[in-house]
Amino acid sequence: MSVGPYPEYKDSGVEWIGAIPKPWSAKRLSFLFRVIGSGTTPPTDGGSYYDGELPWVTTGELREAGISDTAKKLTYDALTAFSTLRMYPPGTLLIAMYGATIGRLGWLSVSACTNQACCALAAPQGVIPRFAFFALLAANEALILLASGGGQPNINQEKIRAFRLPMPSLIEQEAIAAFLDQETGKIDALVAEQERLIALLKEKRQAVVSQAVTKGLNPNAPMKDSGIEWLGQVPAHWEVVRVKQVARLESGHTPSKQFSEYWEGGDIDWVSLNDSKHLAANDYISETKMKITALGMANSSARLLPEGAVVFTRDATVGLAAITTHPMAVSQHLIAWCPSRAIMALYLLRVFNIMKPFLDAFTFGATIKTIGMADVGKLITPLPPIDEQAQILTFLEHELPIFDTLITEATQAITLLRERRAALISAAVTGKIDVRALATSQPEAA
């Protein structure tokens, strides 16, 4: 694919757009859509407003795609009772105005109403909605910069109405939208391919760990039933024991947030749910998001745990685990296992890695999953002789980096593809490249 610039450019007068082809203009959204509005959230504690037939869009459903169904639906009673609710037609563009989803886009594939956090752009005039969608995608960062507010940033409708998009002729809009549909479709297919590869690699990696940790390295070893469903058969000479028999169980605590001296200037690493992402992706933890002071630890039930402890989340996402590289404390949302000489910390971590999918059976709580301390005490581990544990870990030390490297490469490929997609959209909708000839010479996208 080879594309060049337009013959002549002029200043658009809009920072995020920059220079545009000479015949183009930059127009406010209020000039491009006759209807710009939102909706509301009917109360749940009265009236027959929910479980109806009318799709009701929230910002969580804006995923740069068409919306043909919604998690919740409203009744006609709601539409009658609330003047702020209206039905928007298929093709309406939606922009998230509040919170973590701010700037996210979608469009209606069916008639629907929205909550108050969605801004709806309907009844287009002089603009192809598909072109406007791509232009708004390119403008995402500029849109987010319009936000105000602290904990709950928002973009109000007035700012959206005044927001300007680059505007070529309708014929060019059609050509650009067709070109981008085709090219982004190709990129999206490549991204999906890489995502499938990553899923397969992770599945295979988990299988290699599971095989080594539960079956050992000798395929001819006599086996016995472990008596544990998720564990299955294990080598006959292995033991199967409760984790607490081979590792000391420690719990944690949170120093009072009312005393700044327990936190400010703290130098004691304190593992909390804020570290969940790190625990999910790493075998070791060397630094934590939050730290406490010695005074904070002295005035709470938190304890300094030794290097080599296996920390383990027992709330929210249960079973995320990693090994401490130096003495640390943990919050009450985690526990820590301090291994005895009978089990190696890394072997125990690998057991937790493969145990994680089976931990739901122990959890309770509708909103936040939790595993109780009584059930924590029931967790089981296979226990090979210590020299065999070392052999298993040496084998995995050789095998796992192969998968990790392939996963990293596929992840990097996805990042590059998405960057190319964003750059291509931006260049096309702002006229930095002239795609008219390409769009007309290629078959229409399905």
Side-chain angles (χ1 to χ4, degrees):
M1 181 181 67
S2 177
V3 290
Y6 279 74
E8 291 184 90
Y9 287 86
K10 66 181 180 183
D11 184 12
S12 68
V14 180
E15 185 177 353
W16 81 265
I17 299 174
I20 54 175
K22 200 168 183 180
W24 291 26
S25 60
K27 292 186 178 180
R28 294 183 178 189
L29 285 169
S30 59
F31 293 152
L32 301 174
F33 294 91
R34 294 191 300 276
V35 175
I36 297 179
S38 59
T40 194
T41 300
T44 57
D45 56 354
S48 52
Y49 301 141
Y50 292 91
D51 299 323
E53 301 174 358
L54 307 177
W56 180 66
V57 183
T58 64
T59 56
E61 290 161 319
L62 305 186
R63 301 182 181 277
E64 297 185 10
I67 299 166
S68 57
D69 197 12
T70 56
K72 292 184 178 180
K73 292 182 173 63
L74 301 184
T75 62
Y76 285 97
D77 286 349
L79 203 60
T80 303
F82 298 94
S83 60
T84 45
L85 276 176
R86 65 173 294 171
M87 294 297 290
Y88 294 102
T92 297
L93 299 183
L94 301 175
I95 305 172
M97 297 191 292
Y98 301 162
T101 59
I102 196 165
R104 192 178 288 175
L105 303 174
W107 69 88
L108 296 181
S109 298
V110 295
S111 295
C113 48
T114 78
N115 72 358
Q116 65 277 13
C118 295
C119 181
L121 309 178
Q125 52 184 4
V127 64
I128 307 297
R130 191 65 180 154
F131 175 83
F133 169 76
F134 282 120
L136 287 167
L137 265 186
N140 184 257
E141 289 184 13
L143 274 170
I144 292 173
L145 286 175
L146 296 177
S148 57
Q152 180 78 349
N154 69 88
I155 310 171
N156 62 44
Q157 281 190 39
E158 288 311 305
K159 289 180 179 178
I160 290 177
R161 287 173 183 275
F163 194 80
R164 290 197 284 172
L165 297 183
M167 203 48 48
S169 68
L170 285 171
I171 292 174
E172 283 179 282
Q173 290 180 43
E174 288 275 18
I176 292 168
F179 168 79
L180 288 176
D181 274 330
Q182 180 166 294
E183 295 304 316
T184 58
K186 292 176 185 176
I187 293 172
D188 292 344
L190 292 173
V191 168
E193 210 172 272
Q194 293 299 311
E195 288 174 337
R196 286 193 295 271
L197 175 60
I198 289 172
L200 288 171
L201 286 168
K202 286 182 176 179
E203 186 179 318
K204 178 63 176 174
R205 185 189 192 278
Q206 183 78 344
V208 169
V209 174
S210 180
Q211 178 69 22
V213 167
T214 65
K215 310 299 181 223
L217 303 179
N218 179 5
N220 299 315
M223 306 295 283
K224 67 179 180 184
D225 186 8
S226 68
I228 307 300
E229 186 176 354
W230 69 266
L231 192 51
Q233 289 195 322
V234 298
H237 64 287
W238 289 16
E239 294 182 68
V240 176
V241 300
R242 290 190 173 180
V243 177
K244 67 180 183 180
Q245 292 178 244
V246 291
R248 186 177 80 253
L249 176 60
E250 294 276 0
S251 59
H253 195 254
T254 300
S256 173
K257 297 289 181 70
Q258 295 181 354
F259 298 93
S260 59
E261 60 268 32
Y262 294 172
W263 299 90
E264 291 180 6
D267 60 358
I268 298 172
D269 282 304
W270 181 74
V271 191
S272 68
L273 292 181
N274 291 301
D275 300 299
S276 292
K277 284 186 179 179
H278 181 89
L279 300 178
N282 297 276
D283 292 337
Y284 294 89
I285 183 165
S286 300
E287 189 173 3
T288 58
K289 295 280 188 183
M290 303 180 71
K291 299 179 189 292
I292 59 174
T293 64
L295 187 63
M297 191 162 66
N299 285 276
S300 73
S301 300
R303 293 188 292 277
L304 195 63
L305 304 172
E307 172 187 344
V310 184
V311 296
F312 178 103
T313 56
R314 55 180 292 260
D315 290 330
T317 304
V318 176
L320 301 177
I323 301 168
T324 60
T325 61
H326 58 267
M328 297 183 182
V330 299
S331 82
Q332 70 272 24
H333 300 292
L334 287 91
I335 55 175
W337 301 93
C338 301
S340 69
R341 293 182 178 179
I343 193 165
M344 300 175 75
L346 186 53
Y347 180 81
L348 180 58
L349 177 70
R350 296 296 177 228
V351 172
F352 289 147
N353 290 159
I354 63 169
M355 185 191 297
K356 189 176 176 301
F358 305 96
L359 289 173
D360 277 350
F362 292 98
T363 61
F364 60 91
T367 306
I368 298 178
K369 295 292 186 182
T370 297
I371 180 170
M373 291 301 289
D375 287 320
V376 165
K378 297 176 184 176
L379 297 180
I380 296 292
T381 180
L383 188 67
I386 200 74
D387 61 334
E388 200 169 342
Q389 291 178 41
Q391 291 169 12
I392 290 169
L393 294 176
T394 299
F395 167 77
L396 292 176
E397 186 178 1
H398 176 267
E399 293 295 312
L400 297 188
I402 298 172
F403 292 102
D404 294 339
T405 298
L406 293 172
I407 290 169
T408 298
E409 289 174 353
T411 303
Q412 290 171 343
I414 288 174
T415 300
L416 291 172
L417 285 166
R418 286 177 173 160
E419 288 174 355
R420 170 169 169 70
R421 185 184 193 273
L424 187 65
I425 292 170
S426 180
V429 299
T430 60
K432 303 304 185 291
I433 55 175
D434 184 352
V435 303
R436 289 173 295 177
L438 276 174
T440 54
S441 65
Q442 294 174 352
E444 289 185 9

